[in-house]
Amino acid sequence: MDEAMENNELEVVENEPLEVPSESHSDVITYDENEEYLLEVNHLKVYFDVLGGEVKAVDDVSFALKAGETMGIVGESGCGKTTTAFSINRLLPDNGHIKGGYIKYKGKKIAEPDPEITGLMKDRKKRKLYKEKEAMMAPIRWKEIAMIFQSAMNAFNPVHTIGAQIVEAIQAHEDVSEDEAMERARNLFKMVGLPPERVTGYPHEFSGGMRQRAMIAMALACNPSLLIADEPTTALDVIMQDRILAEIKRLQKKFGISMIIITHDVSVVAETADKIMVMYAGKMMEYGNISEVFHHPAHPYTIGLLGSFPSIKGEKKKLKSIPGSPPDLVNPPKGCRFHPRCKLAKPICMEEEPPIVELSDGHWAACHFAREIYSGELKEE
Amino acid sequence: MAEKVIINVKKLKKYFPVRGGLMSSFGSGKEQKFVHAVDNISFTIKQGEVFSLVGESGCGKTTTGRLLTRLEDPTSGHIYFHKRDIANLEGKDLKSFRRNVQMIFQDPYESLNPRLTVFSTVAEPLLVHHVGDTIDEREDLVAKALEAAELKPAMEYLHRYPHELSGGQRQRVAIARALALRPEFIVADEPVSMLDVSIRAGILNLLLDLKAKYGIPYLFITHDLSVARYMSDRIGVMYLGTIVETGESEKVIKNPHHPYTRALLSSVPVPDPDYKRERKKIKGDLPSPINVPKGCRFYPRCIFAKKGICDRKDPPVVEVEPGHFVKCHFAADIPAMDGKADEEMEEKVELGEQLLQETMNSAGNDEEEIEFV
Ligand SMILES: Nc1ncnc2c1ncn2[C@@H]1O[C@H](COP(=O)(O)OP(=O)(O)OP(=O)(O)O)[C@@H](O)[C@H]1O
Ligand SMILES: Nc1ncnc2c1ncn2[C@@H]1O[C@H](COP(=O)(O)OP(=O)(O)OP(=O)(O)O)[C@@H](O)[C@H]1O
Ligand code: SF4
Ligand code: SF4
Ligand SMILES: [Mg+2]
Ligand SMILES: [Mg+2]
């Protein structure tokens, strides 16, 4: 357990001005062609139809994940984290549509905008398309890409015991006997700190945190290649959170599992992730290696987000938080979506959408002044 | 503030029977077994007071909340609400009691009806109580409640269904609904667990405003100690169905005496990828509440446990300083035994507090006064 944690050791870089590569200006996140990615998300856009418009929940988000890597997604409530996850697993509700970009898993396209379907037999064609998509995703869900849902209540069927549901998930993908599957369920329970004899319990007999842990057990049941964990520890106390995160890391290392961890808690990302993506109002604000982004944030929103958490090391700084609230996603602000709350905003920010700038290898930020902030030329106050 | 006791809980117990099939693995024959979810707890909540329950997952916090709002029938014990025992209310009396208390559920999926829009959800209690004469008036009240719960602009959300909201947004709708009617007593079960710090600050301040203004007593359930400290006048630390330490929040956090409380405080995480946390003030997992350990329930995990005493006798409740109670055989001596680690712990707590204070200040009360009917 400790060993797994220690792995997270990162180099501390002091805050000295850095040299910024000047020619690498680009507004497209490029993938390294020599690398093999498990997951590629490219210029993804997901909108929801609602009364009176569209909620632009995910609006041009790109990232890529290699085998064994962990990426954290952070951002305020409602910024599009769960929607990003649901599009990878194709679990979007009926009113949610992929409007642009694509997602590739193990080199295969698993999500792209639906073709426009019109004319005669529209509904039948739509149903057919839906069936095809489902047929493609069914073998991938749980076995390849497992998901820990934000609400465990939503994930379990209330009329079956939790053990039966885990057994079902295992047997759907693997040819094992019921006894074997049940034994595995018991072991998984032990792993997440639940008494194994309680596998025969129903979801309503579990406390909030117990349900969340059962959900984690179920997600790990089929040894997935990619684990998407949406706020996996919100219902857990610090001791249990610590233990579960360590356990997940241990398994990750052992089986080379990749993980996307979604959270509003920056300390959880700090403890688990290799990379981080900061989202704001459906947009990617900053993306890069965890210690790069923590020590040299180049986006005012990231700086605000990190500044609103205390650090145990060094002198105690005065803590800051970001005033104001996130915008309406039906009519998001023009230009940079963060401008109404940004202390560094200039007139250009209200008009032009900022480009996505690469600051160092694999570290990107979407701000008109990312370079200046990164190099230390521009500071708040 | 008036010292009037509103809630007085006495020797409250809730045991859930364990179903058949399970027993085979225990091999202990036919006797009925129980989950000792809440096992003999007592506490009071005064007018305008926030009492927080903190403790590990599965220790019985939600069950306590459900008993106090009578969503669950107690196995035994008393719950006095304004001096009247409501532990065994039934029928009409129970219904009218429930109408005056509100519970904000841990999982917002539980508190929201999937077939009602946000507007109908929040307006429903207004209708039941005949508040607001016209649709417009009600819409206005609902919009105010939503904005107070940091759902802005409210118009964007009124016509959405729960599944059309993010997790944190759902949590805030549940809060707006619970507060719309200014109930006489509120149980808030992890109400901000899904919210990031900046929104969290606004919600916590909203709850505190209502408390200050109308003297509403709260039972506040959380696993986040800095939130508990910010919110509450008094804290109760729960462990495996019992309360092991209770007192004014400052006393419990700054001068914890129970080994479990101390372990909890020492594991507060730190948001820095380079920091290695000191942990391990506690061993193993929460034991099954079906086979409760004899003697002190914390014995199997306690680093100060003494054989022959702790594993034999149920520890007494000791008053270590006025109003600060600890259930441990060695309550008075624990801090000295644990001395070394104290400094660090205090620093962590201070940082947590600083964070909250700061976010509270910056969230500010710049909004217009919220009038909840
Ligand atoms: N089915 C839907 N219809 C309409 N809007 C939706 C739907 N699902 C989500 N949204 C909206 O899309 C935005 C992004 O939602 P999402 O659930 O991805 O947020 P999130 O980042 O996961 O937030 P949280 O931390 O609160 O869970 C939110 O503003 C939400 O209201
Ligand atoms: N209806 C029920 N039937 C059987 N057991 C139950 C029932 N409700 C709760 N329990 C058990 O009672 C114990 C206490 O549960 P409770 O929900 O009160 O915990 P909690 O302190 O709220 O935990 P968490 O922080 O995880 O939400 C748990 O072991 C739980 O499984
Ligand atoms: S583009 Fe302008 S408004 Fe947006 S984050 Fe950068 S400085 Fe702030
Ligand atoms: S009574 Fe003994 S086992 Fe229980 S908390 Fe005190 S020292 Fe530990
Ligand atoms: Mg979410
Ligand atoms: Mg609970």
Side-chain angles (χ1 to χ4, degrees):
Chain A
M1 185 148 127
D2 281 334
E3 192 190 312
M5 279 305 194
E6 263 153 36
N7 246 325
N8 208 20
E9 206 173 324
L10 291 164
E11 212 182 313
V12 194
V13 194
E14 280 312 316
N15 254 328
E16 60 198 32
L18 291 175
E19 267 182 43
V20 185
S22 54
E23 72 280 32
S24 69
H25 187 287
S26 150
D27 59 2
V28 179
I29 290 190
T30 44
Y31 300 111
D32 186 341
E33 267 148 39
N34 305 319
E35 287 283 0
E36 239 180 68
Y37 292 103
L38 183 77
L39 183 76
E40 292 169 44
V41 174
N42 210 324
H43 294 292
L44 182 70
K45 290 189 183 187
V46 185
Y47 296 176
F48 293 107
D49 295 332
V50 289
L51 215 70
E54 279 177 325
V55 177
K56 301 180 181 66
V58 174
D59 212 1
D60 202 350
V61 162
S62 304
F63 59 87
L65 210 59
K66 284 182 247 175
E69 242 178 0
T70 297
M71 182 178 88
I73 304 183
V74 299
E76 280 168 317
S77 175
C79 71
K81 304 181 295 292
T82 301
T83 307
T84 305
F86 277 10
S87 3
I88 297 169
N89 233 348
R90 302 307 304 261
L91 289 170
L92 290 172
D94 291 344
N95 69 332
H97 305 286
I98 295 181
K99 283 295 169 83
Y102 65 82
I103 300 172
K104 273 187 182 172
Y105 177 74
K106 292 193 174 163
K108 188 171 149 210
K109 230 179 229 181
I110 55 166
E112 61 188 329
D114 285 339
E116 191 83 41
I117 299 179
T118 48
L120 282 173
M121 303 201 293
K122 193 167 95 185
D123 288 344
R124 223 168 104 190
K125 283 184 198 152
K126 273 192 187 158
R127 269 203 306 274
K128 185 163 165 262
L129 183 73
Y130 175 78
K131 270 197 190 144
E132 280 169 12
K133 278 197 301 198
E134 277 304 295
M136 177 181 69
M137 284 310 291
I140 294 182
R141 270 185 217 135
W142 291 115
K143 176 71 195 147
E144 292 282 336
I145 307 178
M147 173 133 187
I148 298 168
F149 291 89
Q150 190 170 13
S151 168
M153 197 59 182
N154 204 28
F156 283 114
N157 183 336
V159 302
H160 296 296
T161 68
I162 298 219
Q165 296 182 55
I166 297 181
V167 167
E168 197 195 315
I170 296 174
Q171 286 190 316
H173 298 285
E174 283 172 57
D175 187 21
V176 293
S177 73
E178 190 168 335
D179 285 349
E180 249 174 90
M182 192 50 107
E183 190 47 39
R184 205 145 108 199
R186 282 207 188 84
N187 285 332
L188 287 162
F189 258 49
K190 262 187 242 161
M191 208 175 72
V192 295
L194 289 171
E197 70 266 20
R198 295 197 73 172
V199 286
T200 51
Y202 288 89
H204 77 271
E205 298 172 340
F206 279 43
S207 78
M210 290 166 70
R211 247 179 254 148
Q212 199 166 41
R213 283 177 280 158
M215 174 85 251
I216 295 170
M218 180 139 126
L220 295 170
C222 297
N223 296 327
S225 305
L226 173 62
L227 178 63
I228 304 177
D230 193 355
E231 305 275 12
T233 57
T234 44
L236 303 179
D237 54 277
V238 284
I239 297 171
M240 193 47 81
Q241 168 175 318
D242 195 26
R243 175 186 158 145
I244 300 270
L245 292 179
E247 195 59 48
I248 291 180
K249 280 185 98 170
R250 189 181 67 79
L251 288 175
Q252 227 190 327
K253 208 165 136 199
K254 194 162 155 200
F255 298 109
I257 306 171
S258 304
M259 178 158 84
I260 296 177
I261 184 160
I262 296 174
T263 175
H264 61 262
D265 187 343
V266 177
S267 61
V268 170
V269 179
E271 284 204 0
T272 48
D274 308 307
K275 295 203 261 196
I276 181 171
M277 178 171 79
V278 180
M279 279 183 84
Y280 181 78
K283 292 261 178 207
M284 191 192 91
M285 297 284 118
E286 187 155 6
Y287 171 63
N289 170 288
I290 182 105
S291 95
E292 252 285 299
V293 174
F294 265 72
H295 295 295
H296 302 287
H299 196 287
Y301 179 64
T302 313
I303 294 171
L305 204 64
L306 297 178
S308 56
F309 283 83
S311 161
I312 196 93
K313 275 180 46 181
E315 63 188 288
K316 285 182 207 166
K317 338 178 258 246
K318 200 159 153 52
L319 297 161
K320 299 180 197 129
S321 85
I322 311 161
S325 33
D328 174 354
L329 292 181
V330 177
N331 301 300
K334 229 181 116 188
C336 173
R337 287 193 185 178
F338 187 53
H339 86 248
R341 299 171 73 185
C342 182
K343 286 194 189 131
L344 296 175
K346 304 252 160 40
I348 184 180
C349 306
M350 286 156 222
E351 296 301 325
E352 276 177 46
E353 193 172 318
I356 300 172
V357 182
E358 185 166 24
L359 301 146
S360 68
D361 196 21
H363 178 185
W364 306 78
C367 168
H368 286 297
F369 306 104
R371 277 172 210 290
E372 289 80 352
I373 297 170
Y374 184 71
S375 68
E377 255 170 74
L378 192 62
K379 281 202 180 92
E380 279 182 27
E381 285 149 359
Chain B
M1 189 137 299
E3 286 288 279
K4 201 169 139 205
V5 172
I6 306 286
I7 307 268
N8 188 355
V9 176
K10 284 218 161 114
K11 304 201 165 159
L12 190 62
K13 287 187 188 173
K14 177 68 190 181
Y15 293 177
F16 293 103
V18 177
R19 270 164 305 99
L22 225 151
M23 294 310 42
S24 48
S25 54
F26 287 88
S28 60
K30 298 261 177 296
E31 94 194 82
Q32 174 68 54
K33 295 225 171 185
F34 292 95
V35 174
H36 299 227
V38 170
D39 209 358
N40 206 4
I41 64 171
S42 305
F43 60 88
T44 58
I45 309 178
K46 300 195 189 92
Q47 176 95 39
E49 188 177 63
V50 177
F51 182 72
S52 282
L53 276 181
V54 301
E56 236 164 326
S57 171
C59 69
K61 306 180 294 293
T62 300
T63 307
T64 306
R66 291 176 64 92
L67 287 167
L68 264 57
T69 45
R70 283 302 317 280
L71 294 166
E72 208 80 72
D73 296 325
T75 304
S76 68
H78 306 278
I79 307 163
Y80 297 97
F81 181 66
H82 288 292
K83 301 229 163 76
R84 171 170 172 234
D85 193 353
I86 54 121
N88 299 305
L89 284 187
E90 280 177 349
K92 240 174 57 199
D93 290 342
L94 179 59
K95 262 201 177 143
S96 81
F97 165 75
R98 275 207 202 130
R99 204 171 288 161
N100 291 317
V101 299
Q102 284 288 341
M103 176 142 177
I104 300 166
F105 293 92
Q106 187 169 12
D107 190 329
Y109 277 87
E110 267 179 277
S111 28
L112 301 178
N113 181 339
R115 282 178 296 274
L116 293 186
T117 61
V118 169
F119 172 73
S120 311
T121 302
V122 183
E124 195 190 28
L126 300 176
L127 278 172
V128 172
H129 287 250
H130 310 290
V131 176
D133 295 329
T134 63
I135 281 249
D136 281 352
E137 218 171 293
R138 280 196 297 272
E139 195 168 290
D140 218 40
L141 288 169
V142 170
K144 270 195 186 139
L146 291 175
E147 302 223 331
E150 305 275 327
L151 283 168
K152 301 172 202 169
M155 284 305 151
E156 201 201 306
Y157 299 101
L158 285 180
H159 304 290
R160 297 232 200 126
Y161 289 91
H163 75 268
E164 298 178 335
L165 299 169
S166 80
Q169 289 166 347
R170 237 174 261 142
Q171 205 163 39
R172 284 172 280 160
V173 171
I175 291 169
R177 175 189 154 91
L179 301 184
L181 266 180
R182 185 151 60 83
E184 288 180 42
F185 170 53
I186 294 172
V187 174
D189 193 357
E190 308 271 12
V192 294
S193 62
M194 285 184 194
L195 302 176
D196 44 276
V197 270
S198 50
I199 292 173
R200 179 177 288 203
I203 300 282
L204 295 180
N205 278 345
L206 172 68
L207 297 177
L208 287 179
D209 281 353
L210 289 177
K211 165 191 113 148
K213 221 159 156 186
Y214 306 111
I216 304 175
Y218 286 87
L219 177 70
F220 192 90
I221 299 171
T222 178
H223 59 260
D224 187 328
L225 287 158
S226 50
V227 171
R229 184 184 189 189
Y230 183 76
M231 284 303 287
S232 44
D233 303 288
R234 285 186 305 124
I235 290 181
V237 181
M238 251 185 122
Y239 185 78
L240 208 60
T242 61
I243 292 183
V244 295
E245 180 154 5
T246 177
E248 283 163 32
S249 7
E250 284 311 289
K251 287 182 181 160
V252 171
I253 299 245
K254 289 227 174 98
N255 188 17
H257 276 63
H258 198 279
Y260 176 63
T261 314
R262 300 178 76 87
L264 266 185
L265 282 164
S266 75
S267 348
V268 174
V270 175
D272 182 340
D274 303 323
Y275 179 76
K276 270 189 252 119
R277 208 193 295 185
E278 182 255 1
R279 72 199 81 188
K280 284 274 176 338
K281 281 197 147 190
I282 191 164
K283 323 179 266 194
D285 286 328
L286 190 66
S288 159
I290 299 170
N291 294 323
V292 182
K294 268 216 315 253
C296 174
R297 290 179 186 209
F298 191 52
Y299 167 72
R301 303 171 72 187
C302 180
I303 52 175
F304 303 108
K306 286 216 169 58
K307 240 193 151 110
I309 302 171
C310 300
D311 57 338
R312 297 243 173 95
K313 276 191 295 190
D314 192 26
V317 175
V318 181
E319 189 165 9
V320 293
E321 58 186 318
H324 182 178
F325 300 92
V326 180
K327 190 172 163 61
C328 168
H329 285 296
F330 308 105
D333 308 325
I334 298 288
M337 289 155 84
D338 201 15
K340 194 185 119 277
D342 269 6
E343 268 175 52
E344 190 182 331
M345 185 178 68
E346 219 162 79
E347 195 182 358
K348 283 182 193 172
V349 170
E350 252 171 56
L351 282 161
E353 153 111 326
Q354 211 187 335
L355 150 74
L356 269 156
Q357 203 60 53
E358 184 62 34
T359 44
M360 297 302 142
N361 294 344
S362 66
N365 292 336
D366 49 8
E367 287 121 47
E368 50 176 309
E369 285 278 279
I370 318 130
E371 241 356 293
F372 281 112
V373 192

